[in-house]
Amino acid sequence: MDDSTKKTLSSIPLLKTKAGPRDKDLWPQRLKEEYQALIQYVKNNKDADQDWFRLESNSDGTRWFGKCWYFYNQMKYEFDIEFDIPVTFPVTAPEIALPELDGKTAKMYRGGKICLSDHFKPLWAKNVPKFGIAHAMALGLGPWLAVEVPDLIGKGLIQYKEKSEGEKS
Amino acid sequence: MSSFDWEEVKRLAADFQRTQFSSAAQKLSERNCVEIITKLTQLKLLDVVFTNDGKSYITPKYLIKEIKDELYVHNGRANLIDLAKSLNVDASVITSLAHEVVKEDSSVRVILGQLIDHSYVINVAEEINDRLQQHGLINVSELARTFDLPADFIHSIIKENSGRIIRGVKQDKQDVQTYYTENYLNRYKSIVKGALAAITRPTQISTIISHCGIKENVFFSIIDSLIESKQVPGIVTERCGSVCSYIPQIYIKSQTEWVKNFFTQNGYLEYDALSRSGINDPKSFIEKSVQSQENLQYLKNCAIGQGLLDQIEASVEEAVASQSWINILSILPTVIDAEDAEIILQKTVKGNRNLSSVQIFNQVYAVSEAFLNTLYSRIADQIMPENVNQAVNSGTYEQYIIESKVSSVASDGDKRELSRKEERKKRTTVGKSGGGTQGRETKTKVTKKKYGQKSSHKIDSDEEELVKPKSFSSFEFVSYEEIQNVIQSDKSFQDEDFDHSEFIENLQLHYYPLINKAALTLAQSVYEARQANINSSKRKLNAELQDNIISLYQDFKLYQRAIKEFNDEDCQSQLNKYLLKSTGTQLTNACFTFISDKCEDFTSPKSYQKIITSVDNKEVKDAFTKLQKAMNGSSIEEFVSSVDDVLSVLNIMMKKMDKKKEKALLESHKQALLNKLEETDDPPLVLHLASLILFQNVTQNMVNASGRFVTNILGVLEKRLPAEDYQPVHQYHTLVLKFFKLSEDDEEYASINGELKENTPLLKQKVSCVTKK
């Protein structure tokens, strides 16, 4: 885990409530904390001009989807994100998936779920219930993208697609 | 509560969405900035410089300022590479900017990738000055090494600042790398000046340098400047490399003085001596130092002055005046060798008209003509006549004339165009017959070769002279040794220590042909005189022979008459035969001798025959043939007539025998017999002589008979002599007969012998007694 990741991670507020979607009472509490953490994280990112994803959830907050992007050679590569909050959350980490890239890389499970690094799971287990979705993004998807996207571009497995949606730089 | 919670969750989700969308484009990231600036620089809208890590941009202006600051910090000298490192900018940027700095500020310059400003230059100049003042001498290359600056730049620094910061500096003229101060130069100048002044002998520059402890180039520049300003008491020889030497004036002066003194004292100068005392070109040196005063003569080994020449001339003149000779080597200094002496001598002789008659021998001997003439006359008077006489008398000369005639005939017969080789060959063969002479000649040739090549021409001519007379008169009358003896006996050769053998040898060579030529003419005349003499003596001999023949003839006649006294015919014929054998033979011999001119012993008839055949005249031949025959025959009459014929042929006048002459003849014959009788003691011979004398006494005729006829003679005597006279003779005769019959062994031998001895004086007395009656 590099310094910048650590720094990013430490600036994300930790969560307190240990509750899954099945815990009717505590889940909204937990969800609140999740949102707060995410807002903080996004804020931080925006302050550092390192905004790299958009997320939103369904009404009860069990399913999340959105977009993430990566700049490489001054080009923006954008991918869809989707994942469910597992029942055993927060003991079990959410499995983030990039369905577009399914089958294009070895570091991916079926359905486009990314293979997280070996550090991720023990770190997560150690920090239950302090880590939430924001942590999973910063700790899991961020590094994964930084490693895999340039590799995939180098292999020519992903091409740059001009997005109609104007990217503000 | 839960709905409230959900409300809050919704609100938070909305917040989250808002957050996500709102503030995204608020800030330019670093990446973007880099991109923008890159774009701007690409478009040349912005002039900035990247730092090496790419994290910052610097404007050139600022960079220039920073460069200047760095330069100041580094004491006015900064390496461009170091600048690039410390300013964290690319070296190429620094280089280009440095040039700009130089353009802006004229006191700054870039040298070997280093930025140097004026203050640094002044610093360097000051340091150079310090060093210079300290050491007095600096080397640019050394400076360049210590300052790490190019030599040219240092040169320019020194040039620019000399007189301001760097004081009293001078550049070496030989070595542009070296600078020194005036003081330094003066100090060494003084040292060198002192050293040079102290030197009294020619010295190698290198030793001077090592003594002074100065660097060689410095020394040379000093010495050059000193020579220029004429402060050196001497001269430096031509420099070849660093090997040259210094010759102090004092040395030259003393040398010149020595040379002058030597010359005034001795009158000559030897080149060797000069070069030994260190003068390289003696001739020109002499010219310079002495020529001005003296008329010098340059020879091979030395130069001699007029004084010496005058002395030689005087000596030669004296030699001429005293009719002698002189070896000029004895006057000249020993250094002058024979060749030079010859040159001097020839000059002297040529220069003086009085000496024109002087001849030069052995290069160094001046010989007056008078001396040559006296010697010549001495040889000619002392030896030549004697030798010539000897040669003529011994007949060798005659033989030589015959041989030369023969050889001249032979050579006339030969072709004239004989190759030189053949001629020489012939000459040598002729010479070989000459024996000792030739040996002598070869010997002199060998010795002459020693004299050296220069006189070879002379030798050639000498040889010609030697050989030429030989070719027509190779006869040696007077030998070299004889000439040598005469020459050596001359006073002038005895009282000096010199070895004159070569001179004498040359004199011999000079005289030998002359003398022998003269001797030849003398010999000619002597020979002729002798021939005349011989002719007259021959005439005399002829007369003697004639007389002899006549007397023999007369004797013969007398003996013939005496034979007639014997009655016995047998005895007569025997006597006749004996007469022919003895006197007849003598007479014949005399006749033959007369015609043959030679006194030979005619022992065999062959020799007669030889003479007869050699005679041309037929009359004479016939006469002599007859005479020979008659001699071998037994008839006296025939012999006499043949002798008469011979005599008439030979024109020998036979005088008539008168009584008086006949008597005298008989008397002398008798006297001769008596004398013989007196002398002998042998009984038979005494008896024989006694009988002969008595016979003549009785008959007045002389008889020619051998001992065999004693009995016959006694028979005649018995009749004519008185008995008392005859008796002792007879008695003696019987004793002799007895004596003959006896041998030594017999008893009577001694008694008869004694008796005979007793009777011999008696008989002699008797005979003399009878003859006197």
Side-chain angles (χ1 to χ4, degrees), chain B residues 195-253:
Chain B
L196 293 185
I199 290 169
T200 57
R201 278 184 302 159
T203 316
Q204 286 273 314
I205 290 288
S206 55
T207 53
I208 302 176
I209 289 170
S210 66
H211 265 280
C212 295
I214 312 177
K215 282 178 189 166
E216 196 178 289
N217 46 4
V218 179
F219 180 84
F220 280 122
S221 69
I222 287 170
I223 210 167
D224 283 347
S225 70
L226 284 176
I227 287 168
E228 238 169 63
S229 57
K230 297 192 175 161
Q231 287 182 313
V232 180
I235 49 168
V236 175
T237 56
E238 274 172 57
R239 204 178 293 172
C240 45
S242 61
V243 180
C244 61
S245 52
Y246 168 76
I247 303 168
Q249 195 64 47
I250 187 165
Y251 182 77
I252 297 171
K253 205 172 151 197

Side-chain angles (χ1 to χ4, degrees), chain B residues 292-469:
Chain B
S292 48
Q293 303 140 33
E294 291 273 358
N295 178 22
L296 274 174
Q297 189 75 48
Y298 293 103
L299 300 172
K300 202 183 64 180
N301 288 329
C302 60
I304 63 167
Q306 191 61 46
L308 208 55
L309 287 176
D310 288 346
Q311 205 181 323
I312 292 160
E313 194 174 334
S315 306
V316 175
E317 265 174 4
E318 194 195 314
V320 171
S322 64
Q323 306 198 341
S324 176
W325 53 273
I326 185 163
N327 178 357
I328 63 161
L329 275 187
S330 63
I331 321 167
L332 288 169
T334 47
V335 295
I336 296 176
D337 66 4
E339 265 174 59
D340 282 346
E342 191 184 16
I343 296 168
I344 296 170
L345 202 54
Q346 276 173 352
K347 284 230 164 104
T348 315
V349 171
K350 256 185 221 161
N352 195 327
R353 213 171 274 174
N354 295 339
L355 305 178
S356 55
S357 67
V358 169
Q359 292 205 37
I360 300 172
F361 280 86
N362 271 30
Q363 303 176 308
V364 295
Y365 289 87
V367 185
S368 68
E369 206 168 29
F371 178 75
L372 285 178
N373 290 342
T374 37
L375 259 190
Y376 175 76
S377 58
R378 203 177 296 164
I379 296 166
D381 294 348
Q382 281 181 1
I383 304 173
M384 197 172 77
E386 200 179 313
N387 283 12
V388 167
N389 279 340
Q390 205 179 337
V392 171
N393 288 346
S394 66
T396 42
Y397 175 71
E398 195 179 0
Q399 203 166 354
Y400 157 70
I401 287 175
I402 291 160
E403 272 173 15
S404 69
K405 267 182 199 158
V406 169
S407 71
S408 75
V409 167
S411 67
D412 280 350
D414 284 343
K415 278 180 192 165
R416 283 252 157 185
E417 289 87 9
L418 273 174
S419 77
R420 206 180 148 76
K421 210 174 185 180
E422 277 175 309
E423 221 169 0
R424 182 163 287 177
K425 210 167 163 188
K426 202 171 94 189
R427 219 178 264 162
T428 43
T429 46
V430 166
K432 255 175 200 159
S433 69
T437 329
Q438 179 63 21
R440 180 76 201 176
E441 192 197 39
T442 38
K443 193 186 157 201
T444 43
K445 261 186 195 164
V446 170
T447 44
K448 287 205 111 190
K449 291 255 163 71
K450 283 187 212 156
Y451 299 161
Q453 303 299 87
K454 261 204 172 175
S455 51
S456 63
H457 176 70
K458 216 179 137 195
I459 289 172
D460 282 351
S461 61
D462 267 12
E463 254 174 343
E464 292 295 309
E465 267 178 1
L466 260 178
V467 171
K468 219 190 275 168

Side-chain angles (χ1 to χ4, degrees), chain B residues 174-216:
Chain B
Q174 258 97 43
D175 184 6
V176 289
Q177 297 287 66
T178 318
Y179 290 86
Y180 43 76
T181 58
E182 201 75 43
N183 279 342
Y184 174 83
L185 194 65
N186 285 338
R187 195 161 74 240
Y188 278 114
K189 224 179 215 177
S190 315
I191 292 173
V192 171
K193 222 195 275 182
L196 293 185
I199 290 169
T200 57
R201 278 184 302 159
T203 316
Q204 286 273 314
I205 290 288
S206 55
T207 53
I208 302 176
I209 289 170
S210 66
H211 265 280
C212 295
I214 312 177
K215 282 178 189 166
E216 196 178 289

Side-chain angles (χ1 to χ4, degrees), chain B residues 664-683:
Chain B
L665 207 68
L666 284 171
E667 196 58 36
S668 71
H669 186 75
K670 197 165 87 185
Q671 205 55 45
L673 286 173
L674 275 170
N675 287 346
K676 266 189 198 165
L677 183 65
E678 281 303 313
E679 281 162 16
T680 184
D681 275 336
D682 185 33

Side-chain angles (χ1 to χ4, degrees), chain B residues 628-643:
Chain B
Q628 197 194 353
K629 265 184 199 158
M631 196 192 76
N632 288 334
S634 57
S635 167
I636 294 265
E637 282 73 23
E638 203 177 315
F639 180 73
V640 169
S641 72
S642 67
V643 167

